[in-house]
Structures are given as C-alpha cells and as structure tokens.
Amino acid sequence: SIEFVGAREILDSRGNPTVEVEVILDDGAEGRAAVPSGASTGAFEAVELRDGGDRYGGKGVSKAVLGVIDQIGPELLGYDASEQRLIDQAMLDLDDSDNKAKLGANAILGVSLAVAHAAADSADLPLYRYIGGTNARTLPVPMMNILNGGAHADSDVDVQEFMIAPIGAGTFADAVEQGVSVYHALKSVLKQKGLATGLGDEGGFAPNLPQNVAALELIATAVEKTGLTLGTDIALALDVAATEFFADGAYTFEGTKHSAEEMTAIYTKWAADFPIVSIEDPLAEDDWAGWATLVSQLGDKLQIVGDDLFVTNVERLQRGIDEKAANALLVKVNQIGSLTETLDAVELAHRSGFSCMMSHRSGETEDVTIADLAVATNCGQIKSGAPARSERVAKYNQLLRIEEDLDDAARYAGAAAFPRFTV
Ligand code: PGA
Ligand code: ZN
C-alpha cells in the first residue's frame, strides 16, 4: 500500500518548470513520473496549475507540488497501489472541478503515473506489461517529426509537424534506423539548398520555407537519397495544428484567409501528390462541421486525427464518433490528467473503430512512460518528435528496450497501423 507521496519542481525541455512525483509503497517498491507540457494547447485541455508572479516568469509549479504533498498525498496513504482506478477517482473527488483546475492536472497526472510505476515495481513487472498484460506486444510505428513549423519553430511554415512513418520496416529497431537515415539525409538536403538546419522544439529542422508544400518536397528528396522507397518504406504524416491559425471563422494559411472547404481541398491535393497516411488537427478545435465534411471526403483513404478536437476526453471523443468528425485519437496523458481517463479514451476509440496515436508534448522530460503506454495499449503508433534531443529520443530508446524484452513475442505494427492507407 502507498506509504509516501512526494513531489518536486524540475525542468522540462524548454527550460520551464514541471512537476515530478515520487511514490513509495510499504513493500519498498517505488515509482516516479514527470509531467509534460504543450505549447499549442487545446482550449479544452485539463488545467495546468502555474504559480504566476515573477518566479520563472510565472510558470513555477510550486503550488502544484505543495498540493501533491499536503493534499493528495495524505488522501492516498494506505491505498493498494494497484487500485489505479480508485486512486484516480479519489483525486478527481478531491479536486472537485470539471477540468482539474484546483489541484492542477499536472499535480494529479504526476501522482497517477507515479502510482502506476510503483505498482509495476511492486509486481516486479515492466510498466507496459503491468498495464497491458501478456497481450501487450505491439511496437508502435515511430511517427518522427523531422521538420517543425507552427508554434514549435520561428519560421513562416504554418503546418506544425511534418512526420515520417517507417511503415515498411520489419522491426521497431529497423524503423528507428530508417527514420534516422531520413533525418540525416534531410539535414544534408537542407544544407545543400542553403536552408537553416537549426532545430525546433521537437527536434526537427526548422527552416524558413516559401510554402508548406516545400517541406513535403524536401522530405521526399531526403527519402530518395537514402535509397528507401517513399510510400512503401516511408510514409508521411502531418500535424497541422490548425487551431493555431484559426480566428474569426477563417484559417490564415500562407498569408491568406481560407475556409474549411479550401483547407480540405489543399489537403486533398497533398494526399494525391504524396503518400500521406495521417493528418492531425487539419481544422480548428471547434469546427465540428468542417471536420465531418473533411472526413467524408478523405476519411476512407487517410487517418484523420483529433488532438485539440478531442483533448483525450471521452465526452469530446464520443461526439466525434457520433458525428464522424475524425477516425483517430491523439492520446496525451496530460490533456486529460490521469492514467485511468487516458486508458478509458483509448478503449472507447478502439471499440469505435478509431485508431490511436500515443503522443508526447512539445515540452518534455526524460520520463518515458508514454513508450510503455503505447505498447500496453497495442495502439500501433507513437509520436515523440525527431530522432534528436534526448527528451525525444528517450521514448524511442525505451521502445528499443521493450522490443528486446519482448523478444520473439514482439510484433512491429508497420503498415497495419494505417488500415485506410494504400500507396
Ligand atoms: P504541443 O504540440 O505539445 O505543443 O501541444 C503537440 C501537438 O500539437 O500534437
Ligand atoms: Zn497536435
């Protein structure tokens, strides 16, 4: 049972404070987890508690840390750590708000994940097996964000993320190797063209480009350079994060205002010209009608992923299922703020024929919990940025360890993760 709950303020990959929680059980088992943080956050996300004031530019999390120590900890003492659902519910009751605004989703999530780690340690199981059981065996396709734009870069590129998906590899390890070869090839393509090779928040290159489609062309050139085949070996994926450039009913894209229909026409053209398996947040977080029209036009060929649209929230997801507004869920633990609610969202998605992509945030730490969650849920896809910057690579490295641990039982998701896509 839970004997100790502690917390501290640490730094994330952008140099902003975040919450780290430690849980110790009476059998000596321990768990630790650190909480990520987004930049292009959705309006409907659970609330991150920040201190305000001068310290760390107002971004301190000492109140969230104190809440863990003084309020959450005492409430949870004596709970069996394997009672994850009861523990998460106890925190929701204690917070007693719709969006975790009182204690903070950062405080609650830190405890929730640290409890799971402690319970796994107590059971002497790796986290992915403790949560997923013996059927947890699918290594996800690493959706590597190798060119950063939008809120993650200082450039004119509107689309936030240009990802490569090594769908043709036989193992996760081979997928990583192929992804890295494309990443390095892209660097030399950019250099040759005199474009900047500095990195964005998620480790991808962040060049200034005249048009968004130029990013797709550069990546296609990089794939060709490696000798891999675009489409069968390496597919492409986007996170447009369109909420970021939506205001007053219009999408300001490449300097001009567009309707949802015009944006959909742009994506349709891109999907015809490039092997795109997945587009995330093609439209804004409240443009439900626009999403439904887009899905009716593109949804049988492509994965259409709701991130800001769903915020890993079962109620918003249920609306999306009912209205056919997407066909996949982006899964971010800190958007909803507890492990139980995250797993509930994944379960609802899978039961409804939606795919799931496990996801990091643009502000990350060395914590690798999401790698284990990707395998535990057999979701088949994970995005953790480029194969560069340790907070990104840490998740891919953990998946290499898990693949080794699973040995012959391991299965790489590959192209099967994208059943709608054909080259
Ligand atoms: P964020 O970006 O973590 O800054 O929200 C990631 C995403 O939009 O998927
Ligand atoms: Zn997104």
Side-chain angles (χ1 to χ4, degrees), residues 189-271:
V189 170
L190 293 172
K191 268 195 170 157
Q192 259 169 18
K193 296 191 184 291
L195 292 163
T197 56
L199 304 185
D201 284 1
E202 296 191 349
F205 302 108
N208 226 337
L209 302 172
Q211 283 189 307
N212 288 272
V213 74
L216 292 168
E217 286 159 359
L218 288 164
I219 294 170
T221 306
V223 172
E224 268 165 43
K225 257 181 91 116
T226 62
L228 293 162
T229 307
L230 193 65
T232 48
D233 291 322
I234 304 285
L236 307 181
L238 305 173
D239 179 5
V240 182
T243 302
E244 295 292 310
F245 55 79
F246 179 79
D248 305 325
Y251 295 90
T252 303
F253 183 80
E254 296 180 345
T256 36
K257 287 194 165 49
H258 295 269
S259 65
E261 289 70 28
E262 288 164 348
M263 292 307 298
T264 302
I266 291 170
Y267 304 135
T268 304
K269 171 93 170 84
W270 288 355

Side-chain angles (χ1 to χ4, degrees), residues 35 46-49 99-101 103-110 334 336-337:
V35 176
V47 173
E48 239 174 20
L49 192 61
N99 52 8
K100 302 186 176 64
L103 291 166
N106 41 355
I108 293 172
L109 178 68
N334 82 317
I336 189 67

Side-chain angles (χ1 to χ4, degrees), residues 336-354:
I336 189 67
S338 74
L339 178 58
T340 298
E341 292 166 288
T342 303
L343 295 175
D344 285 352
V346 172
E347 186 183 77
L348 174 60
H350 282 162
R351 228 187 311 125
S352 310
F354 273 43

Side-chain angles (χ1 to χ4, degrees), residues 14 36-42 45 145 151-152 160-161 163 201-202 239-241 244 280-281 307-308 330 332 334-335 359-363 383 392:
R14 277 192 281 250
S37 175
S40 63
T41 49
E45 295 194 19
N145 175 13
H152 297 167
Q160 180 176 281
E161 305 174 17
M163 291 171 273
D201 284 1
E202 296 191 349
D239 179 5
V240 182
E244 295 292 310
E280 178 183 330
D281 283 356
D307 170 13
D308 291 351
L330 197 77
K332 288 171 165 171
N334 82 317
Q335 268 180 336
S359 174
H360 65 159
R361 298 309 301 254
S362 52
K383 66 169 193 173
R392 311 296 146 193

Side-chain angles (χ1 to χ4, degrees), residues 4-7 62-77 94 103 107 111:
F4 172 83
V5 181
S62 63
K63 284 182 194 156
V65 163
L66 274 180
V68 172
I69 295 168
D70 293 341
Q71 290 178 264
I72 298 176
E75 184 74 20
L76 298 186
L77 294 186
L94 191 64
L103 291 166
V111 176

